Amino acid sequence: MITSGEAVSLSIALTGSGGAGVMTAGQLLLEAATRCGLYGLMTRSTGPQIRGGEAAAMVRLSPKVVQSPGDRFDVLLALDFDNVQRFAAELPLDSSGLIIADPAAGDIPAFLRASGARVAQVPMAKLAKSVSGGRSAMIALGVLARLIGLPEQAVSDAVAASIGRRKPEALAASEEALQLGSAHAPDVTIPRLATPASKPQGRWSISGNEATGYGAIRGGVKFVGGYPITPATEILEWMAGALPQCGGALVQAEDELASINMVMGASFGGAPALTATAGPGLSLMIESLGLAVASETPIVVVDVMRSGPSTGIATKSEQSDLNIAVYGLHGDAPHVVTAPLSISDCLLTAQWSVHLAESLQTPVIVLSDQSIGQARAVIDRPKEISFGTRRLTPTEPIDNYARYAATESGVSPMSIPGQRCGQYTADGLTHNARGVPSSQAQDHVEQLHKRQHKLDAFDFSTHWAEIDGQGELALLTWGSSSEPLREAIEIARSQGINVKLIALRLISPPQPALLARALEGVRRVLVIEQSHGAQFWRYLRAYYDLPAEVVSIACPGPLPIRPGEVLAHIQKGASA
Amino acid sequence: MNRMADMRREFKPADYKSSVKPVWCPGCGDHSVLLMFQRALAELALPPEQVAIVSGIGCSSRIPAYTNCYGFHGVHGRSLPLATGLKVARPDLTVIVASGDGDGFSIGGNHFLHACRRNIDVTYIVMDNRIYGMTKGQPSPTTEPDWETDIAPEGTGVTPFHPLVIALASGANFIARGFSGDLAGCTRLIVEAVRWPGFSFVQILSPCVTFRADQQKAWREQVRKAVVPETDDPARAARRLMTDDGFNTGILYRGKREAYRQQPFGDCDPSFLEAEFEV
């Protein structure tokens, strides 16, 4: 007997060679569990190969919303062991775990045996062969559904919805494989999840990249120019389908230099515009981002961060583009940098970022990352928010127009081509209030000041950070690292340790007054981030007054920050 | 705005001129090109606010601020993608892109290929003086291989780029060459280029009086009206361009390809998209 009572969550990893179907099986498992009223998360880990490499689908199920991986896996189901050692560090298993293996796959690799996890053998490949058109991954799904205790109907429905009724043969083969898997599930127990009482209402299954795309469209984005890059491509692909239905368009550019300039062109023409990329693409866009600052052209650039520098690990996550996003531009180039705090928060952050770009007439860089972008979560339908986004344009008839006139807010009316007497030239050259190129000190300083002032004068307080709880100990983080911290804090609280969470959604411009207020009563701060260079901590040190006791916990990617490690830091921090 | 009143508006070349004084050297061919822009736009009777002039970096790219149209003076080499985004978002505008041989063919070379290929409905005017003027006299992709400069003291030894051949091979829908010294003829080319749908490319030989002092006189003697009439046959155009010495002026190719996406953007409530997320 492994457990008594009900588990908070159940984590299952499916591994196999690329193309073996583990991603599909993981997705279907999540969908079936969702149909039973559970929440869940699926993250994916792959090698660089398109086929034949290694693939792992990591599914975490829970009666509550879960948006980050847990500490360990309850079940590892391996269709084969071909490249599984490459996931050794990503698949924490212990003696209470269960390995489900296929005897045909050969010996269980030493690192898995060393975990002490129980082993159950199921001849999945052989069973699949006994079904015409049967696939091992479907046998595996049948096995897992049985062990978890998901009703067969829920699994069948999920499969039918995925395969579609128009392919009766494929559907029949899958059904048969599922039943065979279910019948051959090993006679072992795994932790049981509380069964939700009611049928789920109004839930969404959404990936971070989809949420970013939809958030951007909600914010009013009409034009996307983009160049394919892992792990951001899904934003472009999703928006390519959605934009034409919303009266907009996506253009696949020839490179990132083109994407960012297309986006600026569209925005100049009056269409809120966005591009999505990853670190290498952002590097290419940096020069033009300076132009967007100087010409005060609103644009949104989403960087779905991956492990860097250079090509790095394209398929795995890291929060290491903070420096380039904040400091990458040459000259004094104030702009906005934001970061979604979770998969579901990609929606709000993208929408808010469009609002900021349009309101402030400046580029906004959104730092999402692979761990949330390519992960899918089942969430409660997000609240609808309207920011009332509207670009400030001159009222007609326009008289004696000065595009870059100094105003109280620093934001000046931006005419849109077609507006009579609103003609001006947007320029990267230093210009005067009318937009006329100038190399005079006074114009230079006036415009530098104007562009800084519009950010300084803006009220970011509504969404700059998520702050939760009270305590002398605070965890200070940003972006996607927030979710594992949130989970660790919840456990700490159940142990009687009070911890405050401060998760920044707005990275730049810094908000020292807001953070000072959030830190009132805090004696010790743990700064937690996923970068080797402690980029966030260094950034905080440059702009913020922090309490005397600050501990920097900087974990490089690509491994996720897990709640257990954070909890250990909390316990240490609270007792010291 | 009163549409009828708008239709009655008449335009003179001066309506497209701004009060900003050009930075160009006296005698630079680009002064003439600016005049051509003004005359062509007046002839096309386009309201200045319906025209956008987009450029990159270099002497020629300074032109937007000298007009009374909307303008975007971007970064080096990226005028075509800037114009592409603008035209996709605003198909109602007339978009003219101004560039030079360095901006357009060197740093912006890749965008040139893809703009031709995409066949977006913009007019691309490259003022070619076979030199980097603004950085004071370095060889460009169209500079002769034996032209001696400080950065290439014995010449580059590299065969010049043939922009018209590249444009044809990449799918441009209108290809012409003009000379800045031929005000009337070259203005006509610009008018025709703007009127023709799809990507229109006009190379304007526009001498640099400072770093290539002999260019103006030599080119005036060398340019000639192309003797063969314009063609819509890419194979004929290719043969002609491949044997061309770089000084035949006129419309050298006029294709029949359909221009890239031209639907105007619209508004809608996007909440219907949520259906795909609902469990």
Side-chain angles (χ1 to χ4, degrees):
Chain A
M1 201 60 208
I2 303 303
T3 58
S4 61
E6 285 162 342
V8 175
S9 72
L10 188 63
S11 293
I12 297 150
L14 287 101
T15 66
S17 301
V22 295
M23 294 303 181
T24 308
Q27 179 75 39
L28 291 170
L29 182 64
L30 178 64
E31 276 176 32
T34 306
R35 284 166 191 268
C36 302
L38 289 166
Y39 291 91
L41 166 80
M42 179 170 141
T43 52
R44 39 181 75 223
S45 184
T46 54
Q49 303 86 346
I50 300 301
R51 278 183 174 273
E54 66 277 19
M58 293 170 272
V59 179
R60 189 179 185 203
L61 304 175
S62 173
K64 296 190 301 180
V65 176
V66 276
Q67 293 206 58
S68 64
D71 290 314
R72 49 178 289 283
F73 284 91
D74 298 287
V75 181
L76 165 66
L77 185 148
L79 290 181
D80 58 64
F81 291 125
D82 289 355
N83 289 306
V84 76
Q85 74 284 350
R86 292 188 193 158
F87 292 120
E90 292 172 54
L91 298 173
L93 270 178
D94 57 30
S95 58
S96 51
L98 171 69
I99 296 168
I100 301 173
D102 191 326
D107 290 341
I108 292 171
F111 84 90
L112 288 177
R113 275 203 313 273
S115 68
R118 294 166 298 157
V119 176
Q121 301 275 11
V122 181
M124 292 175 279
K126 197 173 149 197
L127 289 169
K129 276 207 186 99
S130 71
V131 178
S132 168
R135 301 196 67 195
S136 301
M138 286 296 127
I139 302 279
L141 182 59
V143 170
L144 290 170
R146 175 65 171 270
L147 284 178
I148 300 164
L150 299 176
E152 275 181 22
Q153 191 58 48
V155 187
S156 298
D157 289 349
V159 171
S162 163
I163 294 178
R165 310 271 173 199
R166 279 173 303 168
K167 294 180 187 166
E169 281 165 29
L171 192 57
S174 295
E175 284 284 353
E176 201 180 334
L178 283 175
Q179 282 168 18
L180 213 50
S182 178
H184 287 79
D187 187 17
V188 291
T189 54
I190 59 169
R192 292 214 77 80
L193 293 171
T195 320
S198 59
K199 211 173 147 33
Q201 288 290 321
R203 285 187 196 164
W204 284 10
S205 168
I206 195 165
S207 74
N209 281 345
E210 288 169 351
T212 300
Y214 183 50
I217 288 180
R218 261 193 182 176
V221 165
K222 288 284 170 210
F223 179 84
V224 171
Y227 187 75
I229 187 167
T230 305
T233 310
E234 297 86 1
I235 297 178
L236 305 176
E237 289 178 335
W238 189 84
M239 295 189 87
L243 278 169
Q245 301 179 63
C246 303
L250 175 141
V251 176
Q252 181 178 334
E254 53 271 31
D255 55 31
E256 286 90 346
L257 306 162
S259 335
I260 182 99
N261 280 284
M262 286 184 183
V263 158
M264 257 190 289
S267 177
F268 173 75
L274 169 145
T275 184
T277 187
L282 180 63
S283 302
L284 287 175
M285 293 178 182
I286 286 291
E287 183 200 13
S288 297
L289 273 161
L291 174 60
V293 171
S295 63
E296 302 195 47
T297 307
I299 54 167
V300 176
V301 178
V302 180
D303 170 12
V304 186
M305 295 181 287
R306 60 193 222 187
S307 299
S310 190
T311 310
I313 311 175
T315 52
K316 297 184 184 180
S317 208
E318 200 166 66
Q319 290 185 298
S320 50
D321 292 351
L322 185 146
N323 280 352
I324 186 177
V326 173
Y327 304 111
L329 284 65
H330 69 265
D332 289 314
H335 60 283
V336 177
V337 181
T338 61
L341 304 175
S342 65
I343 297 166
S344 56
D345 193 56
C346 287
L347 184 91
L348 174 83
T349 299
Q351 189 181 346
W352 189 47
S353 299
V354 178
H355 174 69
L356 295 178
E358 292 291 318
S359 305
L360 288 164
Q361 298 175 15
T362 198
V364 177
I365 301 174
V366 182
L367 294 176
S368 178
D369 61 40
Q370 187 275 336
S371 77
I372 53 177
Q374 292 192 318
R376 172 172 298 279
V378 177
I379 55 171
D380 293 315
R381 185 183 192 281
K383 265 183 287 186
E384 266 194 49
I385 290 190
S386 170
F387 295 105
T389 302
R390 201 184 67 86
R391 191 184 292 185
L392 184 65
T393 52
T395 41
E396 295 182 45
I398 301 169
D399 183 35
N400 199 22
Y401 182 57
R403 163 70 184 96
Y404 301 104
T407 61
E408 199 181 323
S409 67
V411 178
S412 33
M414 176 178 180
S415 60
I416 303 300
Q419 281 195 290
R420 199 164 166 182
C421 301
Q423 294 101 299
Y424 72 102
T425 293
D427 208 320
L429 283 168
T430 288
H431 43 259
N432 64 17
R434 307 190 76 85
V436 176
S438 166
S439 52
Q440 290 176 42
Q442 191 192 342
D443 291 326
H444 185 63
V445 175
E446 263 178 22
Q447 293 297 313
L448 284 176
H449 177 72
K450 171 191 191 295
R451 296 192 293 258
Q452 182 64 53
H453 174 66
K454 66 182 178 180
L455 298 195
D456 292 345
F458 192 81
D459 179 8
F460 292 93
S461 67
T462 50
H463 297 287
W464 75 288
E466 292 292 322
I467 300 164
D468 185 33
Q470 288 301 330
E472 290 194 334
L473 178 66
L475 304 190
L476 180 49
T477 193
W478 71 284
S480 70
S481 290
S482 309
E483 278 298 307
L485 270 59
R486 206 178 270 286
E487 198 170 325
I489 287 172
E490 202 175 314
I491 302 167
R493 282 185 194 142
S494 71
Q495 298 173 351
I497 308 171
N498 287 326
V499 188
K500 187 171 202 171
L501 175 69
I502 305 170
L504 301 195
R505 188 183 281 114
L506 179 72
I507 305 304
S508 194
Q511 304 294 313
L514 293 174
L515 187 64
R517 211 174 308 146
L519 285 172
E520 274 170 20
V522 171
R523 192 173 55 83
R524 168 175 301 209
V525 175
L526 309 186
V527 176
I528 304 180
E529 63 186 298
Q530 196 189 27
S531 93
H532 185 266
Q535 296 183 13
F536 181 54
W537 174 68
R538 288 175 204 285
Y539 177 70
L540 292 172
R541 290 202 55 179
Y543 290 103
Y544 290 95
D545 290 324
L546 296 171
E549 293 183 61
V550 177
V551 181
S552 163
I553 300 164
C555 322
L559 296 182
I561 294 175
R562 295 192 188 271
E565 322 167 46
V566 179
L567 183 63
H569 286 298
I570 291 174
Q571 287 162 339
K572 204 170 130 202
S575 63
Chain B
M1 198 187 307
N2 186 328
R3 209 165 266 280
M4 289 309 289
D6 203 40
M7 284 171 69
R8 281 198 300 272
R9 280 167 76 188
E10 282 179 16
F11 300 99
K12 304 180 295 296
D15 294 333
Y16 302 92
K17 189 176 179 305
S18 82
S19 57
V20 182
K21 188 175 174 295
V23 294
W24 301 318
C25 308
C28 173
D30 295 354
H31 289 289
S32 307
V33 178
L34 176 59
L35 204 55
M36 292 169 195
F37 270 48
Q38 293 162 10
R39 290 187 177 190
L41 292 170
E43 186 177 338
L44 290 160
L46 292 164
E49 69 273 12
Q50 283 295 329
V51 179
I53 317 255
V54 178
S55 68
I57 294 292
C59 296
S60 52
S61 288
R62 288 286 194 138
I63 207 165
Y66 309 145
T67 74
N68 185 34
C69 302
Y70 278 90
F72 207 134
H73 180 208
V75 297
H76 200 19
R78 316 294 165 217
S79 56
L80 285 172
L82 203 53
T84 300
L86 176 58
K87 184 67 185 182
V88 170
R90 294 290 306 276
D92 59 307
L93 299 177
T94 298
V95 179
I96 299 173
V97 188
S99 185
D101 41 309
D103 184 69
F105 305 146
S106 190
I107 190 168
N110 190 35
H111 307 307
F112 180 39
L113 305 185
H114 294 279
C116 293
R117 181 173 75 88
R118 230 172 246 123
N119 199 30
I120 193 109
D121 186 21
V122 303
T123 298
Y124 187 40
I125 291 172
V126 177
M127 289 158 249
D128 191 342
N129 55 10
R130 303 187 182 176
I131 198 89
Y132 283 81
M134 198 152 266
T135 49
K136 300 189 170 56
Q138 295 78 30
S140 85
T142 51
T143 303
E144 303 80 346
D146 58 353
W147 179 257
E148 294 170 9
T149 58
D150 286 350
I151 204 169
E154 291 162 21
T156 62
V158 178
T159 308
F161 180 89
H162 199 322
L164 282 69
V165 173
I166 302 286
L168 181 72
S170 306
N173 210 36
F174 178 102
I175 298 170
R177 182 189 289 124
F179 174 50
S180 63
D182 174 18
L183 196 58
C186 204
T187 299
R188 175 113 309 271
L189 292 180
I190 296 173
V191 169
E192 290 292 321
V194 171
R195 280 192 179 138
W196 198 247
F199 188 79
S200 301
F201 171 49
V202 184
Q203 178 194 36
I204 301 183
L205 301 172
S206 179
C208 174
V209 291
T210 301
F211 299 104
R212 310 232 26 190
D214 55 343
Q215 218 171 33
Q216 196 164 38
K217 187 167 173 290
W219 284 5
R220 193 170 289 284
E221 287 163 8
Q222 280 170 286
V223 292
R224 70 188 88 80
K225 279 219 162 55
V227 286
V228 198
E230 64 175 70
T231 176
D232 61 2
D233 175 4
R236 283 189 61 184
R239 274 196 300 279
R240 174 193 293 185
L241 291 175
M242 288 301 289
T243 54
D244 170 280
D245 66 352
F247 292 99
N248 285 307
T249 61
I251 298 167
L252 303 169
Y253 174 71
R254 203 196 278 264
K256 294 171 174 167
R257 292 179 64 210
E258 203 178 317
Y260 192 77
R261 190 189 196 282
Q262 309 220 52
Q263 303 96 298
F265 283 2
D267 279 325
C268 87
D269 171 4
S271 54
F272 70 93
L273 291 166
E274 294 173 8
E276 76 166 278
F277 305 134
E278 283 158 10
V279 235

